[in-house]
C-alpha cells in the first residue's frame, strides 16, 4: 500500500486551510466629495449561514510613526452588515491614512484587505457650489446651499456685457451662506458665479446666473403693490377728513328746544300753561335821560 509523502500531505493541509479560509472583501475604494469620506468595498464571496459582518480600521501618520504602528477601530463601522463606512470624522488631518477592512462569518474571520494607495483628505473632490440669486432694492442677495464647513466661497459679480476681468470679487466663509451686494446700477442686469476654495483646492465655477436690479421699489414688491399702497393711503386720508367734518357738525348738547322737532312732525301746537312760567331775559341799565 502506497502512502503519501510527508511533503504532499503538508501541501494538502495547506491547500485545505486556504480553501476553507474566509476570503476578505475586495475592491476597497475611497469616495471623497466635499470632505465627506466614504470607504466602500465589494462583499466577500463566501457562503455563510449567518450575515457577514465587516469591520474597519485606520492608521494615520501619528499612529504609524509615534505610536508603534497601532490601528484604530472606526467607531461606527464594527461588525456591520453594510459594505461602506463613513469615515469623515475619523480622518481629521491632512496626512496619509492607511485603511483596512475584513469580514467575519460566525467564528471565522478573514484577512485584512487594505486600501491602496493610502488616502489623504486633500484628495477630496470639490464640487461647484449651489446658489440662488435674487434682487433686493439696488442690490443682490446670493444664497448658497451646502458647502464644506471649513472652505471659503469666492463670488464674482459683473454687469452684463462687461469682460470677466471687470467683475467684482467677494469672499465669504462657507458657514455664512449669504452674500449681500449693494449699490448696483438700477435697471441693469448683473451676472453671478462662484467657486469653492479649500487651501490649495479649487472647485470648478458654478453656472452663471443673471438677474435685473430694479431699484428701491423692489422692496415694496413691484409697481402693483406701490399703486395699492397709494390707494390705501388716500382712503385713510378721506376717512380722517370725513370724521373731522362729522365731529364739527354734531350737536354739543342734548337739551335742544323741542319746537323744531314738533313742527317737523306736523302736530298741533302745544297749549300754553295756565300759570306763567319764569322767563329769563337780558337786563340792561339805561341812563335816566334816555328813558321813554
Amino acid at each position: 500500500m502506497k502512502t503519501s509523502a510527508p511533503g504532499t500531505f503538508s501541501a494538502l493541509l495547506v491547500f485545505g486551510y486556504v480553501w476553507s479560509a474566509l476570503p476578505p472583501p475586495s475592491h476597497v475604494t475611497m469616495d471623497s466629495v466635499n470632505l465627506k469620506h466614504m470607504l466602500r468595498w465589494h462583499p466577500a464571496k463566501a457562503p455563510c449561514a449567518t450575515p457577514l459582518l465587516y469591520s474597519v480600521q485606520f492608521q494615520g501618520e501619528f499612529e504609524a510613526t509615534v505610536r508603534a504602528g497601532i490601528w484604530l477601530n472606526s467607531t461606527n463601522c464594527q461588525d456591520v452588515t453594510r459594505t461602506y463606512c463613513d469615515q469623515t470624522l475619523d480622518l481629521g488631518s491632512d496626512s496619509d491614512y492607511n485603511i483596512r477592512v475584513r469580514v467575519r462569518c460566525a467564528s471565522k474571520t478573514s484577512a485584512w484587505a487594505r486600501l491602496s494607495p493610502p488616502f489623504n483628505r486633500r484628495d477630496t473632490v470639490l464640487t461647484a457650489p449651489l446658489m440662488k440669486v435674487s434682487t433686493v432694492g439696488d442690490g443682490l442677495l446670493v444664497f448658497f446651499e451646502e458647502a464644506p464647513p471649513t472652505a471659503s466661497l469666492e463670488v464674482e459679480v459683473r454687469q452684463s456685457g462687461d469682460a470677466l476681468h471687470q467683475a467684482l470679487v467677494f469672499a465669504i466663509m462657507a458657514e455664512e451662506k449669504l452674500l449681500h451686494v449693494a449699490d448696483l446700477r438700477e435697471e441693469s442686469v448683473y451676472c453671478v458665479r462662484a467657486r469653492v476654495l479649500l487651501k490649495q483646492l479649487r472647485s470648478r465655477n458654478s453656472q452663471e446666473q443673471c438677474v435685473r436690479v430694479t431699484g428701491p421699489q423692489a422692496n415694496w414688491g413691484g409697481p402693483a403693490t406701490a399703486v395699492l399702497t397709494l390707494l390705501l393711503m388716500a382712503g385713510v386720508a378721506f376717512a380722517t377728513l370725513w370724521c373731522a367734518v362729522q365731529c364739527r357738525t354734531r350737536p354739543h348738547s342734548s337739551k335742544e328746544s323741542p319746537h323744531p322737532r314738533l313742527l317737523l312732525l306736523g302736530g298741533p301746537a302745544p297749549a300754553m300753561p295756565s300759570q306763567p312760567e319764569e322767563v329769563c331775559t337780558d337786563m340792561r341799565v339805561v341812563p335816566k335821560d334816555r328813558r321813554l
Side-chain angles (χ1 to χ4, degrees), residues 93-142:
S93 65
D94 293 339
S95 61
D96 293 336
Y97 284 91
N98 295 314
I99 304 173
R100 62 187 188 181
V101 58
R102 69 180 178 184
V103 63
R104 181 169 66 85
C105 173
S107 59
K108 293 182 179 181
T109 303
S110 75
W112 292 100
R114 292 183 62 163
L115 174 68
S116 181
F119 172 74
N120 193 306
R121 69 176 188 174
R122 290 193 299 262
D123 299 330
T124 193
V125 176
L126 297 179
T127 60
L130 298 176
M131 66 180 186
K132 296 179 180 178
V133 183
S134 59
T135 60
V136 53
D138 61 349
L140 300 175
L141 282 180
V142 187

Side-chain angles (χ1 to χ4, degrees), residues 128-129 154 156 193-196 202-208:
E154 189 175 76
E156 291 182 355
R193 69 176 187 176
R195 64 191 67 88
V196 178
R202 178 189 183 105
S203 76
R204 68 180 186 275
N205 292 321
S206 65
Q207 185 175 0
E208 197 170 52

Side-chain angles (χ1 to χ4, degrees), residues 189-226:
V189 176
Y190 284 86
C191 298
V192 183
R193 69 176 187 176
R195 64 191 67 88
V196 178
L197 303 180
L198 181 63
K199 296 183 178 180
Q200 298 85 7
L201 299 178
R202 178 189 183 105
S203 76
R204 68 180 186 275
N205 292 321
S206 65
Q207 185 175 0
E208 197 170 52
Q209 297 184 31
C210 299
V211 295
R212 180 180 295 276
V213 175
T214 55
Q217 67 270 20
N219 291 330
W220 296 89
T225 304

